[in-house]
Amino acid sequence: MVQKDSQLPLPSHSGTDVLSKWTNQSDFTGETLVGLDLTGRSVRQSLFSGTLFRDCNFRECDFSRSDFEASIFESCTFFNCDFTVADFRSADTVNSTFEGCSFQQGSVRASRYEACTFRQCSFELQTFEENELAGTALIDCIFHRATLLHCRFEKTRFERTDLSDCTSQYHLFVNCGFEKCGFNAESVGLTFGLSLDNLNDLTLVWRGTPVERASGPMLVKDLLTTYEARRWPFLASILSLNFTLLSPVDSFDYVFSSIADEPNGRRAVGADELRFLGRVLELLSGQARLPFLSIARGLEKICGIAEGNQRHTHDALKLLAHTLKDAEYAELAAMDSSIEPLASMLPADDLKVSFVFDNEPSISFSEWICGLHESGYLPGLTPRLLETRSGSYIEILSLSVATLSSLLICLSMIERIVDRVIYIRARAKILFSPQLPAVIRRRALQPIAAPSATLTREMQKYLELASSSHSRRIVSDLEQFTPKLLRVEIDQNSSHSLS
């Protein structure tokens, strides 16, 4: 993100010097241009590599065929300017407006636009790849025969901007809005983050023709049926994952299965699809929506496919495996930090533990815990149900420290603990403070140390359980509990009130 800083250096030339240089084929590499207000000037085929534009206004200026590599724009306006065949690589633009400008046949790659507005701009035959737009508006813009690939749109507004008459695929959408926009129906499955409201607001186009279609969940099911009939399993699996047509674990199983080689040896997906999937997994990991069990299964599947693979997708498969490995370490570290405070408690201590749900699960939680204990997967004495309470549904059980620690790991197999599931409270005699702080929140994909050996052994035990003949039952039951589980509270003193 570019921030304005009054201490940045002033232009190396005076205003008169800048204007005298403002001619075709000029070189402004690395310069700082502040407060320029120009109309009808031409700097065709000029170099602006690393140039900082701040508080500048340009009207009807010609920047065609210019190079804007690593340039920075702060609070600038461009009105009816020509950027035809201009090259923007790694540019950073904030709080700027482009109105009536032409970017035809140019290239914008690996650039970021924050709090910007593009109004009535033409991107015909434009190459628009790997860009990030945040808090930005595209209003009455034209993308005829353009190529849009691998972009991230966050809180971006599209108004009367048609994306159906171009190649637009492999995008991430986060909290975006659409008004009177077209979109290719076959490309919906090659994007992630569109909501049902987004689909309802879009005009879907199939082979150049707007199609009559249902709305809401029925539209998603129609798209899924179409993808499956046309033998596009990858698109179908991404659509299913995005709109939660299956349970989380089943959705990820579907995705990973869709990228395997087909029986005839043909590659089901290419490098672009694998890169896109990696970005989807990175997004979901950051949002705490990537189940640990799916990470483990995905790693096994990806590494199996990549082993001995000499095709052009080999590097993309390795990158995807690294993304999953980063997510695995992040999840293990989060779980380790969640159960670490329990290690200081005496193993023989019995705890009064409250599991608070937003509503009553369809399967008895206490019976499920006892079933795990009877199967030998929970250590300590047999858990005892003490009471249940209505309202926010609460089950209060008596558990040993070791049992609770193991149970928290088991629950995290489907939904991770941090941010959503667990908040533990304890007395001062258990720890050295009246409260155990909220579980440490972690940032996705940060370098971390390896988790403890104890956690590794516990996770291996539950992975083996999930891979056994009972896996479907265990996973299915977990999915009944974890989305509803709000927090876990513990107290050694039964007289201690629970919040």
Side-chain angles (χ1 to χ4, degrees):
M1 174 179 173
V2 179
Q3 295 183 346
K4 298 180 66 173
D5 186 347
S6 60
Q7 301 303 314
L8 284 173
L10 292 174
S12 56
H13 300 277
S14 67
T16 303
D17 291 336
V18 171
L19 292 178
S20 65
K21 288 182 58 178
W22 203 264
T23 59
N24 294 337
Q25 300 180 344
S26 294
D27 187 353
F28 291 90
T29 299
E31 294 198 17
T32 301
L33 307 177
V34 179
L36 292 181
D37 193 341
L38 301 176
T39 301
R41 301 294 295 266
S42 176
V43 280
R44 299 179 75 247
Q45 292 184 292
S46 294
L47 297 177
F48 294 95
S49 298
T51 304
L52 169 62
F53 294 82
R54 177 184 292 164
D55 297 321
C56 296
N57 298 296
F58 299 96
R59 292 175 296 278
E60 300 176 351
C61 291
D62 186 354
F63 296 92
S64 61
R65 298 184 181 275
S66 294
D67 187 346
F68 292 91
E69 180 183 9
S71 57
I72 299 173
F73 300 89
E74 295 180 358
S75 302
C76 297
T77 60
F78 297 85
F79 182 76
N80 286 350
C81 292
D82 187 359
F83 294 96
T84 301
V85 201
D87 190 356
F88 293 81
R89 302 185 309 282
S90 303
D92 208 336
T93 306
V94 63
N95 196 32
S96 296
T97 299
F98 300 82
E99 183 168 349
C101 297
S102 173
F103 295 86
Q104 294 182 14
Q105 303 179 58
S107 176
V108 180
R109 296 174 185 268
S111 297
R112 176 176 172 81
Y113 295 88
E114 182 172 353
C116 295
T117 299
F118 293 87
R119 188 186 303 273
Q120 295 179 339
C121 292
S122 174
F123 294 87
E124 293 186 59
L125 298 172
Q126 164 77 242
T127 299
F128 197 87
E129 296 184 9
E130 300 180 13
N131 300 307
E132 183 173 346
L133 281 70
T136 291
L138 295 166
I139 304 171
D140 296 311
C141 292
I142 300 172
F143 284 91
H144 175 62
R145 297 178 63 188
T147 301
L148 284 74
L149 299 174
H150 296 289
C151 294
R152 177 186 173 111
F153 301 98
E154 183 170 355
K155 296 181 180 178
T156 298
R157 192 172 79 256
F158 298 81
E159 295 183 14
R160 298 175 298 281
T161 296
D162 190 6
L163 297 180
S164 65
D165 192 22
C166 63
T167 300
S168 180
Q169 298 174 340
Y170 312 120
H171 303 314
L172 300 180
F173 293 96
V174 181
N175 299 325
C176 294
F178 297 85
E179 180 181 338
K180 297 181 180 178
C181 299
F183 205 87
N184 284 312
E186 61 267 33
S187 294
V188 174
L190 289 176
T191 65
F192 191 85
L194 291 174
S195 65
L196 287 176
D197 288 339
N198 291 153
L199 288 186
N200 290 336
D201 293 337
L202 287 168
T203 297
L204 293 186
V205 177
W206 187 267
R207 294 184 175 180
T209 303
V211 294
E212 296 290 335
R213 79 297 199 279
S215 61
M218 287 303 300
L219 171 59
V220 176
K221 291 181 179 178
D222 288 346
L223 288 171
L224 181 66
T225 301
T226 301
Y227 294 161
E228 291 175 339
R230 295 181 65 86
R231 298 184 62 189
W232 293 341
F234 181 75
L235 278 70
S237 67
I238 293 295
L239 188 78
S240 178
L241 178 64
N242 187 37
F243 293 99
T244 60
L245 301 183
L246 300 172
S247 67
V249 173
D250 287 339
S251 292
F252 285 104
D253 284 349
Y254 190 7
V255 170
F256 293 129
S257 297
S258 72
I259 66 177
D261 284 334
E262 295 184 349
N264 59 11
R266 184 174 70 88
R267 166 61 65 192
V269 298
D272 275 327
E273 285 81 0
L274 295 174
R275 285 180 54 206
F276 170 59
L277 176 57
R279 293 171 62 234
V280 170
L281 296 177
E282 182 179 349
L283 174 69
L284 294 176
S285 177
Q287 295 175 344
R289 295 169 54 196
L290 189 53
F292 185 85
L293 181 58
S294 295
I295 295 173
R297 290 181 175 177
L299 277 170
E300 182 179 1
K301 175 73 74 173
I302 298 303
C303 292
I305 297 173
E307 185 176 359
N309 185 297
Q310 300 300 322
R311 306 188 190 197
H312 70 285
T313 57
H314 185 64
D315 289 342
L317 284 169
K318 289 195 295 185
L319 181 61
L320 185 56
H322 284 305
T323 300
L324 285 167
K325 198 65 180 176
D326 287 340
E328 179 188 53
Y329 275 123
E331 295 299 310
L332 287 172
M335 284 185 275
D336 202 24
S337 65
S338 301
I339 67 168
E340 182 181 6
L342 298 176
S344 62
M345 300 181 184
L346 296 176
D349 284 354
D350 286 335
L351 304 175
K352 180 179 179 182
V353 184
S354 298
F355 296 86
V356 183
F357 301 85
D358 58 6
N359 56 68
E360 184 175 358
S362 58
I363 300 172
S364 172
F365 183 65
S366 56
E367 291 182 6
W368 178 76
I369 291 178
C370 291
L372 279 180
H373 183 272
E374 293 171 0
S375 299
Y377 289 99
L378 293 179
L381 300 176
T382 303
R384 294 183 296 109
L385 176 65
L386 301 179
E387 62 174 306
T388 61
R389 298 177 185 173
S390 58
S392 291
Y393 183 75
I394 302 175
E395 290 198 13
I396 304 174
L397 296 95
S398 176
L399 303 175
S400 68
V401 174
T403 302
L404 177 60
S405 177
S406 183
L407 182 59
L408 294 184
I409 295 173
C410 183
L411 289 172
S412 67
M413 294 289 287
I414 306 300
E415 294 283 344
R416 57 188 297 279
I417 298 170
V418 181
D419 296 335
R420 282 191 61 187
V421 183
I422 299 299
Y423 181 79
I424 303 174
R425 298 193 61 184
R427 296 283 297 205
K429 67 178 182 179
I430 301 176
L431 296 175
F432 296 100
S433 63
Q435 287 187 340
L436 184 69
V439 178
I440 298 172
R441 301 182 185 276
R442 55 90 175 146
R443 293 182 180 271
L445 305 177
Q446 294 294 313
I448 60 171
S452 68
T454 300
L455 178 62
T456 302
R457 287 194 299 270
E458 286 280 330
M459 291 305 301
Q460 185 63 38
K461 178 175 66 176
Y462 286 114
L463 284 174
E464 291 173 357
L465 170 63
S467 302
S468 70
S469 58
H470 303 292
S471 63
R472 286 293 87 195
R473 177 181 60 82
I474 294 296
V475 170
S476 176
D477 289 351
L478 278 170
E479 289 174 345
Q480 299 298 318
F481 305 132
T482 51
K484 301 180 176 65
L485 184 59
L486 301 178
R487 63 185 181 275
V488 175
E489 299 171 341
I490 61 175
D491 187 5
Q492 277 189 316
N493 188 343
S494 59
S495 64
H496 181 67
S497 60
L498 300 176
S499 63

